[in-house]
């Protein structure tokens, strides 16, 4: 059989050197490339019932000419031809610009087919195309291709038509028959043909289904094969500890673990006690209780005779984590220390020494943890919180601090599972999808800025009840300076507004870490009742008595960020509130505010965010790991991605996959992708 990926396009009739060069410029070299150059849309010429067509929609109708056309000229070149015609029993007007020669082609009672834009109010079609005759079924839907250089869409249709005729039967599917049957997918040849020349919507749909599944499955096989390979190649250390001791520790916690916490712990401890090096992403919404999962894992490392490290993006968060861990471990002999850039001089030297000789069991800190001078005696487990804030490089350096320590990345930015696997490639993923019992849902309201007086009145009521509040300041992208100024302005305004009634604190990125610490402490001690802040309070801050948050210019924040911010309240037993001050102009902006008031579920929000922004923006420009698919769309074909992910996993971990003839194509695809060469290992 001819290998279509090695057959050059010049083997097709009508394609010479020059045309081939133009095709090369579009990345089309082989016949296979050409066949895989799918239309990006279809010209839809299907007949529509005029009573169902909406204003300004494009339609194709068949009708009978009624009455003489009238032609008017404006200047030399511009003209307008109008005539009436019957579509069924509707009498409709047609307007046709700058094509005066149509006049002589139209006679009363002729049957014509018109494609154009429908003006419902005037019952008029602005003509794009006229076919002088009855509607022809074969041209219902025409493919429209992207083209470059001097190649036209018409030529492209012809080239692809030729390729299909000559080589169409030679297309071989990488998918085994068993999978095609399982999902009732058409063959690859039929799918390619249908995408280029769809007979109707139904065949187009099935052809799409084929490619969506194929693209996702191949992609999932690749990244999961890489993950499997890495797991098997990287020797990790084996944590060994008496289970009973860990269970006793869990029993001392002030609350029972949720089912989800237990499940992810099983996954994490499973990795830790295995000879593989853990490389796991732990996702859990704000407040879902990741810290205690981290603590238990760190305790497991400690019981196995290893040190642990917990790295977080900000000093405030480092302090809070150090505090939480200290209180969780108060009944144990575990030594916890905090290392940030504000630990200096002698204190720092001593701390590093105690770390190096193993006196410190768990070190909590910011990226100060990954500086060269920091040496552990035997680092066995590394946990990073809010991992998306660290770069790949920082994560690598941290991992190399020990000899193959297990690594756990925690994040409160919920990403649909499949997308997480996509974006974070070869990591395993654990999800805490359940909140601790007894949490009251935060009530969220959206208010216009002009309602600020009422909002501040609402805030005051909460303060009078002895509660505390956050006021998050407007965000001005790319200018920390302006953000700070905003915070100062809002702080002044509120100080003036509430007179001397409440203590109002101010927090922003320009404060030194000492100052930040002081402000945070004052807030958590309730010496300050109202905290005005930029987004530096975003992650992890825990003041359960704070029940109110006001977010200025909420439309400037993404859904995920709003959700993160909102997570600062609702941490105690009292009812909490979040007020979004926003005057969004766009529909998307309004939609975002509405969604925020409707759900507290981070996963729902992340899926909406993904829908509203698309995967590229969702992951940020830095996450370049998001692949481009030809036909598939990670957002809209999400279910298929999920199915393909599971299938890829089942295949890779089945014995038959590595030997059976029917999987040969898939195996070769993995081999050819270079995954097994080892150069993709970091
Ligand atoms: P996050 O996942 O946002 O880091 P935290 O670990 O800070 O969440 O937990 C939020 C709060 O929930 C903490 O006060 C913690 O003590 C509490 N918590 C954690 N797990 C449970 C549980 N199983 N039952 C009740 N409260 C819990
Ligand atoms: Mg946390």
């Amino acid at each position: 059989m001819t290998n279509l990926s090695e057959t050059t396009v010049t083997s097709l009739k009508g394609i010479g050197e020059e045309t081939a060069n133009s095709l090369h410029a579009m990345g089309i070299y082989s016949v296979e490339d050409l066949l895989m150059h799918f239309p990006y849309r279809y010209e839809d010429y299907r007949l529509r019932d005029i009573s169902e067509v909406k204003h300004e929609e494009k339609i194709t109708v068949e009708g009978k000419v009624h009455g003489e056309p009238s032609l008017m000229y404006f200047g030399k070149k511009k003209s307008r031809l109008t005539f009436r015609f019957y579509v069924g029993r509707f009498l409709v007007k047609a307007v046709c610009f700058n094509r005066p020669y149509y006049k002589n082609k139209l006679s009363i009672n002729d049957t014509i087919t018109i494609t154009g834009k429908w003006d419902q109010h005037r019952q008029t079609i602005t003509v794009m195309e006229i076919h002088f005759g009855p509607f022809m079924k074969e041209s219902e839907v025409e493919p429209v291709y992207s083209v470059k250089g001097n190649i036209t869409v018409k030529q492209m249709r012809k080239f692809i038509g030729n390729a299909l005729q000559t080589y169409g039967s030679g297309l071989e599917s990488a998918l085994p028959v068993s999978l095609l049957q399982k999902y009732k997918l058409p063959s690859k040849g039929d799918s390619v043909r249908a995408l280029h020349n769809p007979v109707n919507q139904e065949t187009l749909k099935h052809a799409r289904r084929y490619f969506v599944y194929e693209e996702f499955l191949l992609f999932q096989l690749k990244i999961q094969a890489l993950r499997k390979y890495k797991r098997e190649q990287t020797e990790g250390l084996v944590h060994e500890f008496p289970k009973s001791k860990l269970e006793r520790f869990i029993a001392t916690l002030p609350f029972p673990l949720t089912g989800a916490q237990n499940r992810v712990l099983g996954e994490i401890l499973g990795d830790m006690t295995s000879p593989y090096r853990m490389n796991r992403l732990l996702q859990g919404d704000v407040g879902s209780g990741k810290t205690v999962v981290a603590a238990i894992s760190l305790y497991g490392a400690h019981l196995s005779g290893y040190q642990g490290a917990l790295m977080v993006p900000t000093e405030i968060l480092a302090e809070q984590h150090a505090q939480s861990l200290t209180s969780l471990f108060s009944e144990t002999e575990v030594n916890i220390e905090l290392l940030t850039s504000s630990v200096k001089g002698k204190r720092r030297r001593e701390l590093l020494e105690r770390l190096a000789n193993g006196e410190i069991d768990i070190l909590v800190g910011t990226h100060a943890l990954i500086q060269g001078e920091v040496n552990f005696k035997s680092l066995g487990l590394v946990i990073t919180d809010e991992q998306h804030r660290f770069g790949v490089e920082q994560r690598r350096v941290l991992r190399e601090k020990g000899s193959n320590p297990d690594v756990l990345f925690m994040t409160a930015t919920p990403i649909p599972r499949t997308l997480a696997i996509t974006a974070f490639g070869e990591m395993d993923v654990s999800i805490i999808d359940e909140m601790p019992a007894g949490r009251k849902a935060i009530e969220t309201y959206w208010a216009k800025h002009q309602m600020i007086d009422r909002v501040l009145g609402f805030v005051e009521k909460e303060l009078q009840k002895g509660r505390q509040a956050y006021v998050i300041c407007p965000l001005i992208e790319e200018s920390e300076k302006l953000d700070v100024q905003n915070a100062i302005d809002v702080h002044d305004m509120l100080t003036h507004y509430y007179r001397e009634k409440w203590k109002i604190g101010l927090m922003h990125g320009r404060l030194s870490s000492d100052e930040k610490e002081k402000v945070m402490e004052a807030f958590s001690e309730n010496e300050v009742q109202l905290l005005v802040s930029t987004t530096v309070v975003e992650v992890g801050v825990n003041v359960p008595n704070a029940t109110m948050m006001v977010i200025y210019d909420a439309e400037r924040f993404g859904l995920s960020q709003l959700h993160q911010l909102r997570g600062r309240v609702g941490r105690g037993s009292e009812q909490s509130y979040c007020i979004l001050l926003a005057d969004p102009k766009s529909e998307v902006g309004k939609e975002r505010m509405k969604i925020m008031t409707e759900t507290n579920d981070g996963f729902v929000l992340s899926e909406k965010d993904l829908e509203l922004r698309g995967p590229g923006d969702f992951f940020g420009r830095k996450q370049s790991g998001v692949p481009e698919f030809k036909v598939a769309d990670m957002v809209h074909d999400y279910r298929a991605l999920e199915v393909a992910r599971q299938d890829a996993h089942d295949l890779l971990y089945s014995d038959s996959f590595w030997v059976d003839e029917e999987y040969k194509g898939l195996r070769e695809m993995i081999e050819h992708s270079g995954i097994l060469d080892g150069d993709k290992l970091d």
Side-chain angles (χ1 to χ4, degrees):
M1 179 139 333
T2 14
N3 187 341
L4 299 187
S5 63
E6 279 161 23
T7 312
T8 58
V9 282
T10 44
S11 70
L12 289 165
K13 64 172 183 261
I15 301 186
E17 277 308 311
E18 204 175 319
T19 309
N21 282 338
S22 300
L23 288 172
H24 293 174
M26 303 173 62
I28 298 171
Y29 296 88
S30 66
V31 170
E32 182 174 315
D33 294 339
L34 188 62
L35 288 172
M36 295 299 145
H37 185 69
F38 294 128
Y40 66 92
R41 68 179 180 88
Y42 300 90
E43 203 62 78
D44 190 347
Y45 295 114
R46 284 171 305 151
L47 284 183
R48 308 249 325 251
D49 188 335
I50 213 158
S51 61
E52 284 168 12
V53 177
K54 293 198 194 79
H55 183 54
E56 304 236 294
E57 260 187 347
K58 193 173 137 186
I59 51 167
T60 298
V61 288
E62 187 192 86
K64 265 195 166 58
V65 180
H66 176 81
E68 284 295 328
S70 84
L71 180 63
M72 270 177 71
Y73 276 94
F74 316 90
K76 267 192 184 143
K77 289 207 173 125
K78 293 187 174 159
S79 69
R80 185 177 68 194
L81 180 71
T82 46
F83 58 95
R84 286 169 194 283
F85 68 114
Y86 269 106
V87 179
R89 24 185 209 91
F90 293 100
L91 185 60
V92 175
K93 194 167 135 189
V95 184
C96 183
F97 290 99
N98 308 329
R99 276 172 280 188
Y101 41 86
Y102 279 179
K103 183 167 189 274
N104 296 330
K105 291 182 154 195
L106 293 162
S107 331
I108 293 177
N109 274 335
D110 274 0
T111 298
I112 53 168
T113 307
I114 291 182
T115 299
K117 196 158 112 186
W118 176 235
D119 183 327
Q120 192 174 26
H121 311 310
R122 300 198 165 91
Q123 297 281 296
T124 300
I125 294 178
T126 308
V127 174
M128 295 166 178
E129 272 178 58
I130 300 184
H131 168 69
F132 297 93
F135 176 69
M136 289 196 303
K137 187 135 179 69
E138 54 270 30
S139 61
E140 267 195 349
V141 178
E142 273 189 349
V144 183
Y145 296 99
S146 67
V147 284
K148 260 193 195 155
N150 42 19
I151 295 181
T152 65
V153 175
K154 257 197 177 138
Q155 276 177 306
M156 194 57 120
R157 279 182 196 148
K158 212 173 80 197
F159 298 152
I160 289 172
N162 285 344
L164 278 171
Q165 217 165 33
T166 318
Y167 297 106
S169 57
L171 280 165
E172 263 186 295
S173 172
L175 299 181
V177 178
S178 57
L179 282 174
L180 295 181
Q181 280 170 350
K182 181 173 173 192
Y183 298 115
K184 301 195 167 54
L185 294 171
S187 73
K188 183 163 186 162
D190 286 349
S191 302
V192 169
R193 241 183 296 276
L195 276 185
H196 290 297
N197 300 311
V199 182
N200 54 39
Q201 289 296 313
E202 200 63 14
T203 50
L204 187 59
K205 209 175 90 193
H206 287 300
R208 265 201 92 246
R209 261 189 343 112
Y210 174 90
F211 279 102
V212 167
Y213 183 74
E214 189 193 83
E215 284 187 312
F216 282 159
L217 186 76
L218 296 188
F219 168 69
Q220 286 289 334
L221 277 172
K222 272 190 226 168
I223 60 166
Q224 292 194 45
L226 176 63
R227 198 144 54 96
K228 182 169 183 286
Y229 181 73
K230 275 180 95 162
R231 254 183 108 96
E232 287 163 5
Q233 290 301 303
T234 51
E235 268 177 55
L237 36 87
V238 179
H239 287 92
E240 279 174 305
F241 51 85
K243 238 181 133 195
S244 57
K245 275 205 171 171
L246 197 71
E247 273 160 10
R248 226 170 302 147
F249 172 63
I250 294 174
T252 66
L253 296 172
F255 40 71
L257 296 181
T258 62
Q261 282 172 322
N262 270 318
R263 194 189 62 240
V264 300
L265 259 178
E267 292 163 0
I268 294 165
L269 296 175
D271 280 357
M272 285 172 61
T273 51
S274 83
Y276 299 135
R277 193 181 69 194
M278 173 162 70
N279 190 28
R280 187 172 282 281
L281 178 70
L282 174 61
Q283 284 195 59
D285 212 339
V286 185
S288 64
K290 293 185 294 297
T291 313
V292 69
V293 170
I296 297 167
S297 313
L298 287 165
Y299 193 58
H302 168 69
L303 291 176
S304 313
Y306 290 106
Q307 291 168 298
L310 177 58
M311 184 162 88
V312 298
T314 64
E315 302 216 347
I316 299 177
L317 201 53
E319 275 150 33
Q320 292 225 341
H321 271 305
Q323 267 173 27
S324 322
L325 290 184
T326 307
S327 95
L328 286 169
F329 286 123
S330 59
E331 305 284 304
T332 70
E333 68 293 347
V334 174
N335 271 321
I336 298 157
E337 284 292 346
L338 173 67
L339 178 65
T340 62
S341 56
S342 23
V343 179
K344 291 190 180 107
K346 191 162 161 245
R347 241 182 86 208
R348 188 179 191 88
R349 275 199 307 281
E350 278 174 10
L351 187 150
L352 292 176
E353 213 175 284
R354 288 169 53 226
L355 185 70
N357 67 27
E359 279 171 55
I360 295 173
D361 301 312
I362 296 171
L363 187 64
V364 180
T366 55
H367 52 269
L369 285 198
I370 58 171
Q371 278 152 17
E373 48 164 3
V374 181
N375 291 305
F376 292 80
K377 179 163 182 247
S378 59
L379 182 60
L381 174 63
V382 175
I383 302 181
T384 71
D385 199 8
E386 300 309 333
Q387 68 87 213
H388 62 280
R389 302 198 153 210
F390 293 109
V392 174
E393 184 57 18
Q394 280 174 314
R395 286 186 257 155
R396 191 185 57 75
V397 173
L398 181 59
R399 196 159 55 217
E400 286 175 358
K401 283 272 164 203
S403 51
N404 283 330
D406 283 323
V407 186
L408 180 69
F409 305 98
M410 304 199 293
T411 177
T413 309
I415 304 168
R417 182 184 198 107
T418 326
L419 294 189
I421 289 172
T422 304
F424 302 114
E426 65 293 340
M427 277 189 229
D428 291 297
V429 178
S430 288
I431 297 179
I432 306 184
D433 51 5
E434 179 188 352
M435 284 290 181
R439 279 284 156 76
K440 286 203 180 73
I442 301 164
E443 283 179 24
T444 301
Y445 302 99
W446 165 24
K448 302 267 168 73
H449 279 100
Q450 66 189 40
M451 291 159 74
I452 184 73
D453 275 336
R454 280 179 61 192
V455 170
L456 293 180
F458 189 10
V459 171
E460 176 141 38
K461 265 199 195 147
E462 281 297 294
L463 296 180
Q464 276 162 355
K465 284 193 248 168
R467 309 280 138 66
Q468 289 162 274
Y470 294 96
V471 175
I472 305 299
C473 291
L475 177 79
I476 294 171
E477 262 160 315
E478 285 155 42
S479 171
E480 193 200 336
K481 206 165 154 189
L482 289 174
D483 285 353
V484 169
Q485 191 51 48
N486 263 323
I488 294 169
D489 291 347
V490 172
H491 180 263
D492 288 350
M493 186 274 284
L494 290 175
T495 308
H496 180 74
Y497 185 91
Y498 290 120
R499 307 284 156 165
E500 300 289 298
K501 273 190 277 184
W502 315 107
K503 272 269 198 186
I504 302 175
L506 175 62
M507 169 72 96
H508 56 67
R510 287 286 164 99
L511 298 179
S512 72
S513 51
D514 274 357
E515 289 168 320
K516 278 188 209 157
E517 195 177 327
K518 277 212 190 92
V519 175
M520 251 0 265
E521 203 168 292
F523 191 59
S524 53
E525 301 290 318
N526 200 357
E527 284 156 21
V528 159
Q529 287 77 46
L530 205 156
L531 184 63
V532 175
S533 178
T534 59
T535 55
V536 293
V537 291
E538 188 187 337
V539 277
V541 172
N542 191 23
V543 180
N545 191 46
T547 55
M548 167 67 72
M549 173 171 284
V550 177
I551 304 176
Y552 266 87
D553 286 356
E555 76 272 18
R556 293 186 188 240
F557 299 88
L559 280 179
S560 299
Q561 201 180 8
L562 286 173
H563 182 61
Q564 294 274 318
L565 286 166
R566 180 170 64 178
R568 298 310 106 221
V569 297
R571 299 176 85 87
S573 50
E574 300 300 332
Q575 177 61 55
S576 287
Y577 306 92
C578 175
I579 299 173
L580 308 169
L581 278 174
D583 301 296
K585 304 220 161 45
S586 71
E587 282 311 307
V588 170
K590 286 176 194 160
E591 177 75 15
R592 288 225 294 264
M593 294 306 111
K594 231 180 100 233
I595 295 166
M596 283 300 294
T597 64
E598 285 166 1
T599 182
N600 276 302
D601 185 326
F603 277 92
V604 171
L605 284 167
S606 76
E607 276 177 24
K608 287 283 179 196
D609 214 6
L610 194 59
E611 265 171 43
L612 295 175
R613 290 201 281 172
D617 278 351
F618 186 84
F619 292 119
R621 253 137 269 135
K622 270 193 240 143
Q623 285 288 359
S624 55
V626 183
E628 297 251 340
F629 295 107
K630 273 190 159 162
V631 178
D633 174 322
M634 289 205 299
V635 178
H636 294 106
D637 303 318
Y638 174 65
R639 297 279 158 250
L641 185 53
E642 190 68 50
V643 168
R645 186 187 68 84
Q646 189 60 48
D647 286 346
H649 181 272
D650 293 350
L651 283 173
L652 288 172
Y653 286 88
S654 74
D655 294 334
S656 55
F657 180 75
W658 302 99
V659 289
D660 280 7
E661 183 62 25
E662 74 163 328
Y663 301 119
K664 194 163 156 243
L666 295 178
R667 282 201 301 275
E668 280 174 2
M669 185 277 303
I670 292 174
E671 277 155 25
H672 290 162
S673 65
I675 286 166
L676 308 180
D677 301 343
D679 59 343
K680 298 243 170 96
L681 299 176
D682 64 19

